[in-house]
Amino acid sequence: MSDQTAQPAASAAVVHLALPKGRMQDNVLKLLGDAGIRLNFDRRGYRPTLSLPGFETKLLKPQNIVEMLHVGSRDVGFAGADWVAEKEVELVELLDTGLDQVRIVGACEPSFLEDGRPRPGPFLVATEYERLTRRWLEREGLEGRVVRTYGATEVFPPEDADCIVDNTSTGATLKANGLTIFAELLRSSTRMYAHPKSLDDPAKREVIEHLVLLVRSVLDARKRVMVEINVPPEALETLVGILPSMRYPTVSPLHAGTGFAVKAAVPRDGLPTLIAQIKAAGGTDIVVFDIAQIVP
């Protein structure tokens, strides 16, 4: 495969890219690395240089990325959908990486609930998500008053708050603190966003779309594996008919006309069932290997 990190048409545009610092950082940097994009960090570690031309890059907290995209000091960046919803900003979602999936939930000690809902009357909610929480309270007709937290929200009940609204991936931290989930406000993941006006600039848009292409190529490749199979001539059409390839499988003749080698990129999650079907159709010598990138 050709080097997909090569920039398309030459352009004088500089795109200001924001990468997340903290919990999301490792997954996003690995995603870029798998796309062939190398990062060289400065002494302080906040302004890495990309091997992909056309970008000026800075590491920021995800909440700040959302704000900087909103005001236009950053053109494109990675952030959680929860903070875009919390900040109530209008950004263009370029793609959902599916990474760092979390739920924004309401949680409390079981004694606070009546029939699965907060008991009637005024109560206190501790959260980092003030706007999301207020919208939820209004939507549900609940008399909650919001107290802003700055991390470790799960420790507030029962002495300092009746319940919390917080993010969770597995619920383990909430459970460890004696809390039970009683409501789900939102589902979130790491996504790539752009400032709307940045996409109105043709030169910047070209650079941004090339980055999206590279990142999507890795995400698409992670969902598939390459399968290579040997098959006798009489079983070729049957085998090709069951392969869920992207377009058409690659078919090559084996030595001395003994059969064919068939190669196809197939969905990873269907592989266990597919292997049984391949064997039943007459396929042999099955080889499965990972794919680095898929570029349409």
Side-chain angles (χ1 to χ4, degrees):
M1 185 177 291
S2 61
D3 183 2
Q4 295 298 331
T5 64
Q7 188 73 359
S11 171
V14 174
V15 171
H16 299 278
L17 171 66
L19 299 178
K21 189 170 181 63
R23 179 175 55 85
M24 295 180 179
Q25 182 176 345
D26 289 345
N27 281 334
V28 171
L29 295 191
K30 186 177 189 312
L31 184 60
L32 296 176
D34 288 349
I37 302 171
R38 299 181 304 279
L39 285 84
N40 295 312
F41 286 85
D42 66 350
R43 186 174 60 184
R44 295 183 180 179
Y46 285 94
R47 300 175 186 271
T49 302
L50 266 63
S51 62
L52 189 66
F55 291 93
E56 181 273 311
T57 309
K58 182 185 286 188
L59 265 64
L60 296 166
K61 289 185 177 180
Q63 300 94 316
N64 296 135
I65 289 176
V66 173
E67 292 169 336
M68 296 306 98
L69 286 171
H70 177 57
V71 301
S73 65
R74 297 282 113 186
D75 297 301
V76 63
F78 292 85
D82 52 342
W83 285 109
V84 174
E86 167 63 19
K87 300 292 184 181
E88 297 181 332
V89 296
E90 293 295 328
L91 301 177
V92 179
E93 183 179 315
L94 300 173
L95 61 82
D96 182 354
T97 70
L99 300 170
D100 303 297
Q101 295 187 26
V102 296
R103 296 182 296 152
I104 311 305
V105 300
C108 65
E109 291 195 341
S111 60
F112 178 64
L113 298 176
E114 289 185 8
D115 297 323
R117 286 173 56 86
R119 61 176 180 246
F123 60 89
L124 208 57
V125 189
T127 185
E128 291 186 279
Y129 299 97
E130 294 180 273
R131 292 187 180 95
L132 280 174
T133 300
R134 287 195 175 98
R135 292 201 299 268
W136 166 68
L137 291 169
E138 182 178 355
R139 188 167 63 246
E140 295 295 322
L142 299 170
E143 298 180 60
R145 183 164 66 90
V146 176
V147 174
R148 175 73 161 87
T149 65
Y150 298 88
T153 303
E154 66 274 4
V155 305
F156 276 70
E159 300 89 354
D160 301 302
D162 297 296
C163 66
I164 66 171
V165 168
D166 202 6
N167 64 65
T168 182
S169 55
T170 66
T173 301
L174 298 177
K175 186 176 180 180
N177 283 273
L179 305 180
T180 184
I181 295 172
F182 65 86
E184 182 177 299
L185 285 65
L186 181 75
R187 295 199 173 203
S188 177
S189 57
T190 301
R191 304 179 189 185
M192 189 189 297
Y193 294 96
H195 186 275
K197 289 186 178 179
S198 299
L199 298 177
D200 293 336
D201 181 329
K204 283 190 175 184
R205 186 183 187 99
E206 181 182 16
V207 175
I208 292 170
E209 287 181 344
H210 186 58
L211 177 62
V212 172
L213 172 71
L214 296 176
V215 172
R216 183 177 283 121
S217 74
V218 174
L219 296 173
D220 289 345
R222 289 178 179 180
K223 297 175 184 176
R224 291 182 175 267
V225 292
M226 189 68 73
V227 176
E228 192 166 353
I229 313 127
N230 288 346
V231 59
E234 65 274 13
L236 176 62
E237 292 305 320
T238 300
L239 182 67
V240 169
I242 66 170
L243 284 178
S245 55
M246 295 175 63
R247 290 191 176 90
Y248 301 99
T250 300
V251 179
S252 306
L254 294 174
H255 179 67
T258 55
F260 297 91
V262 181
K263 185 186 294 186
V266 303
R268 183 184 295 271
D269 58 6
L271 188 61
T273 301
L274 181 62
I275 286 178
Q277 293 173 335
I278 290 171
K279 293 292 291 182
T284 61
D285 308 313
I286 303 168
V287 179
V288 180
F289 49 97
D290 286 334
I291 307 168
Q293 292 175 262
I294 295 176
V295 181

